[in-house]
Amino acid sequence: MNPLTTILSAGDRFVRPELFSDAIRAAVGEGVPLEFRTTTSQWPHEPFGPVENVDEASGTVEGMIEALRGVEIAVTQLAPFSRSIIEASPDLKLIGVSRGGPVNVDLEAATRAGVVVVNAPGRNAQAAAEFTIGLILAASRRIPAAHGELARGTWRGDYYSWEEAGGELDGETVGLIGLGAISTIVARILRAFGATVIAYDPYAAPTEGVELVELDDLIARSGIVSLHARLTDETRHILDETRLRAMRPGAVLINTARGGLLDYAPLPELLESGHLRALGLDVYDIEPPPADWPLLSAPNVVLSPHLAGATRQTAERAASIIAGEVATYLTGGELRYVCNPEVLRG
C-alpha cells in the first residue's frame, strides 16, 4: 500500500485552495492516497508584501510553520517560504508556486534543504495579453474619459475633432519592449488588427511577424510602446527620462509588466505638453500609488490596479500547471518547471 502523502494547499482569494486540491486529485488519480490541509490568505483583499527575506508574499511565519508540520508537498501562489520557514519544515520536499517568478520563496534556502521548487510560467499570458490590447484601445481612443464625461452629463462631441481624435491600430507601428510569453500573444493580436510589430529583447529568438530591433530604434519608430520585460537590474528604468523624451511626438505608452521598468517622474509634464498622447498603466513603482500622485490628475491617463492577469482561467490554469508537476513528482517522472534543478542533480 502506498504511504499517505500530505499536501498543503495554501491558497488565497484568487487561486483558492480547492482549485489546487481538485486539480491535484484529477491529475494524480485514485491510486495515490493524499491528505490535504488548507489555508487561505486574504489577498487580494489585503495586500501582499515582504515576509522576512522573501517578497510579494501573503501570510505569517508562525502560521506557515504550523501549517507545514508533517507536510511533504506545499502548493501556493503567495504563501511565504522564507529561510526560517523552510528550515523549520524538515518533511517538506516540494514547493509548487503557481506564478511565473517564485519571489515568495527563498530559493537558496530551499536548495540547501533539498526542497525542489517548481513554478507555473505563462499561466496568465493570455489574460495579460488581452488586457494589454484593451488598455491600448482604451488609452488611444479615450474610452474611459468619454464614458466618465457622459456619465456626468457632458456630451464630448469635440472628441471627434482632428485635434482630439485618436488613432487606429491598422497601419500603426507598435513597439514591444520584451518578447516573452505575454508579448508574443500581444504581437499576434496586434498583427490581426493590421499593425506592424517591432520588438526589443536581446535574449529573444526570432518570432514570425515581429522585427527585432535595437531599443533606440524601437523608441524612434513606434507610435505605441508597450512594456513587457522582466524587472532586473539591467531593465530597471529601461524607459528613463531620456528615452521617454525621444519617443515620437503623440505616442502612446502602455505598462502592464512591472512598475520599476519605467521612470514615472517625467510623465505628467510629457502628457501635459502632448509629447505623450496617452498613457495606460496597470503597474506602478509604488502599489497602490499615493493619493497625491501627479498622474492621478494628469490628462489622457488610463489606470487600473494591477489587474492584467485577473481572469478565472488564469487561476484555473495556474492550479492545473502545478497539479501536473505534483503528479509528475509523485510518479517519479521528469519535472518540467524546476526553479532549482541543482537539487535534482545532487
Side-chain angles (χ1 to χ4, degrees):
M1 182 176 178
N2 292 327
L4 185 68
T5 300
T6 302
I7 300 175
L8 174 66
S9 293
D12 51 56
R13 300 291 294 275
F14 177 53
V15 186
R16 298 162 62 156
E18 61 267 26
L19 290 179
F20 285 123
S21 304
D22 292 348
I24 291 169
R25 287 192 183 97
V28 172
E30 299 295 328
V32 180
L34 304 174
E35 175 192 37
F36 285 93
R37 299 180 190 170
T38 63
T39 64
T40 305
S41 85
Q42 293 306 302
W43 185 88
H45 298 284
E46 297 176 0
F48 59 53
V51 175
E52 290 194 330
N53 64 318
V54 297
D55 203 3
E56 294 186 16
S58 179
T60 66
V61 173
E62 297 77 12
M64 283 300 295
I65 290 174
E66 180 62 31
L68 286 165
R69 294 191 191 283
V71 167
E72 180 179 347
I73 299 170
V75 293
T76 191
Q77 179 183 218
L78 293 171
F81 287 87
S82 62
R83 180 173 58 254
S84 67
I85 292 170
I86 291 170
E87 289 175 350
S89 307
D91 297 309
L92 189 60
K93 296 293 182 276
L94 178 72
I95 301 171
V97 183
S98 63
R99 57 196 300 190
V103 294
N104 51 316
V105 178
D106 184 333
L107 281 178
E108 183 178 333
T111 302
R112 195 164 52 245
V115 178
V116 179
V117 180
V118 295
N119 67 337
R123 91 280 186 215
N124 68 348
Q126 186 68 35
E130 292 179 9
F131 194 94
T132 299
I133 298 298
L135 203 52
I136 289 172
L137 293 171
S140 300
R141 301 297 300 276
R142 291 188 172 177
I143 295 171
H147 165 82
E149 295 276 11
L150 191 56
R152 289 188 291 270
T154 303
W155 181 272
R156 290 298 301 271
D158 61 303
Y159 279 171
Y160 220 115
S161 66
W162 173 268
E163 295 80 6
E164 301 291 345
E168 300 174 359
L169 286 173
D170 185 28
E172 182 62 275
T173 297
V174 182
L176 308 177
I177 299 178
L179 190 60
I182 295 169
S183 50
T184 299
I185 300 172
V186 170
R188 174 168 52 82
I189 299 172
L190 286 169
R191 289 172 58 211
F193 273 96
T196 297
V197 183
I198 61 178
Y200 167 75
D201 190 328
Y203 306 103
T207 299
E208 182 180 359
V210 180
E211 180 188 357
L212 289 172
V213 300
E214 293 300 318
L215 180 56
D216 290 340
D217 186 25
L218 179 147
I219 289 168
R221 291 170 56 185
S222 300
I224 300 170
V225 175
S226 185
L227 285 157
H228 298 279
R230 277 202 173 277
L231 181 60
T232 65
D233 290 341
E234 182 182 6
T235 61
R236 185 173 297 279
H237 281 194
I238 192 168
L239 279 190
D240 57 13
E241 181 170 1
T242 299
R243 288 190 171 121
L244 288 168
R245 293 190 182 280
M247 290 175 65
R248 276 173 45 184
V252 175
L253 176 61
I254 305 294
N255 189 6
T256 57
R258 282 291 182 264
L261 298 171
L262 180 58
D263 182 0
Y264 287 81
L267 294 176
E269 186 271 322
L270 293 174
L271 288 159
E272 292 283 356
S273 69
H275 184 77
L276 280 182
R277 172 169 180 75
L279 173 68
L281 298 175
D282 187 51
V283 291
Y284 309 89
D285 49 357
I286 300 173
E287 295 191 0
D292 60 350
W293 196 47
L295 283 173
L296 294 175
S297 58
N300 301 333
V301 178
V302 179
L303 306 173
S304 55
H306 207 146
L307 292 177
T311 65
R312 292 184 175 183
Q313 291 92 332
T314 291
E316 292 167 347
R317 191 179 301 117
S320 178
I321 292 170
I322 292 302
E325 292 292 85
V326 170
T328 299
Y329 167 82
L330 290 171
T331 56
E334 184 176 349
L335 296 165
R336 298 177 63 191
Y337 305 121
V338 181
C339 303
N340 55 345
E342 54 270 39
V343 174
L344 301 177
R345 293 195 294 267

